[in-house]
Amino acid sequence: MPCEAHLSPTFYDHTCPRALTTIQTAVRTAVSRERRMAASLIRLHFHDCFVQGCDASILLDDSSSIQSEKNAPNNLNSVRGYEVIDNIKSKVESLCPGVVSCADIVAVAARDASVAVSGPTWTVRLGRRDSTTSGLSQAATNLPSFRDSLDKLVSLFGSKGLSARDMVALSGSHTIGQARCVTFRDRIYDNGTDIDAGFASTRRRRCPANNGNGDDNLAPLELVTPNSFDNNYFKNLIRRKGLLQSDQVLFSGGSTDTIVNEYSKSPKTFRSDFASAMVKMGDIEALTGSAGVIRKFCNVIN
């Protein structure tokens, strides 16, 4: 089971008091340049934490000793925002060299990204350290897939100490962001009973049926207010308008239907549960104390 990390929101209060405001300003700038970056930074934190814990292992590039997680099937040409984190790291390093970890920057950037698109805020516990290893082989099995069944998702999140309710709340981050045609092609062409016909027809316009044709064409994960953090994602699931199969399985006659219903009716409950789940996720197998290192550059081990 994931170990409970000894993290504290005041970790940098004396050693780097301007770290948090520096991160916040940089995230705001990045999101104002490209709204989609908010979703990308939240997802980057998630994909980091689910492989070896929240240790910034996802940021490491290929080298003689590292097989980069960036090349895992669920990350390659998909996970974004690395350059935003690298930019923040250089700013923080110039303020307080060798103090603030890349793992903490990723965690704080995810919170600030949520706030930048009117999403919930939460108190980020700090003091994570950076890994000296990568988890490429784990990435294939530890990251959820857009094809996953409800049971698979519940089991995968459970293995990280997250409940089914946490899983549904975290999936609600798909209220923002975009997905590539290759991830939802099967769903919109399967003529299944779990997809609204008009919605499928609309999505087919920019996503041709044949593999290799338009694979990288983007569609918003939530079509009503794709750039605002709200609860329309859950309302769409009830209307059978989830873009990914792994979205729609949350409302498909299974054990999580009641949670989706609840969030669709109460934005306040969703926001509160999302914030709590993000705090729990940020604690997964964090390296603390003398474990790990503080990298000078996030993409290489010093």
Side-chain angles (χ1 to χ4, degrees):
M1 285 299 292
C3 59
E4 185 62 33
H6 299 288
L7 303 174
S8 159
T10 59
F11 191 81
Y12 297 114
D13 282 9
H14 300 297
T15 53
C16 196
R18 289 167 57 200
L20 295 185
T21 51
T22 303
I23 298 169
Q24 181 186 50
T25 303
V27 169
R28 272 189 194 151
T29 302
V31 173
S32 66
R33 281 192 193 131
E34 186 201 14
R35 195 81 171 166
R36 183 187 176 202
M37 189 52 71
S40 300
L41 290 171
I42 293 170
R43 185 164 180 251
L44 180 62
H45 182 37
F46 167 50
H47 279 229
D48 181 32
C49 291
F50 266 50
V51 180
Q52 283 192 179
C54 311
D55 61 356
S57 58
I58 195 170
L59 305 179
L60 290 170
D61 287 334
D62 268 331
S63 71
S64 56
S65 60
I66 295 292
Q67 287 186 293
S68 177
E69 289 173 28
K70 294 179 181 181
N71 297 323
N74 292 17
N75 293 335
L76 189 64
N77 301 321
S78 175
V79 169
R80 314 167 68 247
Y82 301 118
E83 69 290 343
V84 174
I85 301 300
D86 289 341
N87 172 48
I88 293 171
K89 177 63 170 170
S90 69
K91 286 180 161 62
V92 173
E93 279 296 306
S94 65
L95 285 176
C96 328
V99 173
V100 181
S101 68
C102 300
D104 276 344
I105 290 172
V106 170
V108 174
R111 186 268 313 273
D112 293 344
S114 171
V115 173
V117 288
S118 308
T121 188
W122 56 91
T123 301
V124 181
R125 298 202 278 249
L126 302 163
R128 296 168 194 78
R129 289 169 65 85
D130 299 326
S131 73
T132 55
T133 60
S134 167
L136 176 62
S137 57
Q138 287 180 36
T141 52
N142 287 14
L143 291 170
S145 158
F146 57 86
R147 294 189 178 93
D148 281 350
S149 66
L150 180 58
D151 286 349
K152 176 82 190 291
L153 290 169
V154 170
S155 166
L156 182 60
F157 279 71
S159 72
K160 303 295 178 185
L162 297 166
S163 67
R165 192 175 181 91
D166 293 328
M167 184 269 289
V168 176
L170 291 169
S171 298
S173 61
H174 285 180
T175 176
I176 54 174
Q178 302 187 61
R180 295 177 302 148
C181 163
V182 70
T183 63
F184 58 85
R185 176 181 280 128
D186 289 352
R187 174 160 160 74
I188 61 172
Y189 285 101
D190 275 353
N191 296 313
T193 56
D194 64 347
I195 188 166
D196 175 87
F199 172 70
S201 171
T202 301
R203 284 291 157 253
R204 286 174 192 156
R205 286 181 209 153
R206 297 250 320 123
C207 184
N210 296 333
N211 283 330
N213 188 4
D215 284 4
D216 291 333
N217 291 357
L218 297 172
L221 283 156
E222 191 272 281
L223 74 169
V224 183
T225 50
N227 288 317
S228 294
F229 198 107
D230 54 32
N231 70 331
N232 278 328
Y233 168 82
F234 298 104
K235 295 178 181 178
N236 288 343
L237 295 185
I238 292 168
R239 297 177 187 128
R240 296 179 301 142
K241 294 181 179 181
L243 185 62
L244 306 180
Q245 192 62 41
S246 55
D247 291 323
Q248 195 59 54
V249 294
L250 304 182
F251 191 85
S252 54
S255 58
T256 53
D257 282 18
T258 51
I259 307 169
V260 171
N261 261 319
E262 188 180 351
Y263 290 161
S264 75
K265 294 187 175 80
S266 174
K268 189 177 174 195
T269 306
F270 163 50
R271 290 170 73 91
S272 166
D273 283 4
F274 180 80
S276 300
M278 286 296 285
V279 171
K280 277 174 78 173
M281 187 183 82
D283 274 354
I284 295 173
E285 296 167 42
L287 300 170
T288 57
S290 59
V293 296
I294 305 294
R295 292 185 213 139
K296 184 174 171 60
F297 300 99
C298 291
N299 62 329
V300 291
I301 297 161
N302 315 356

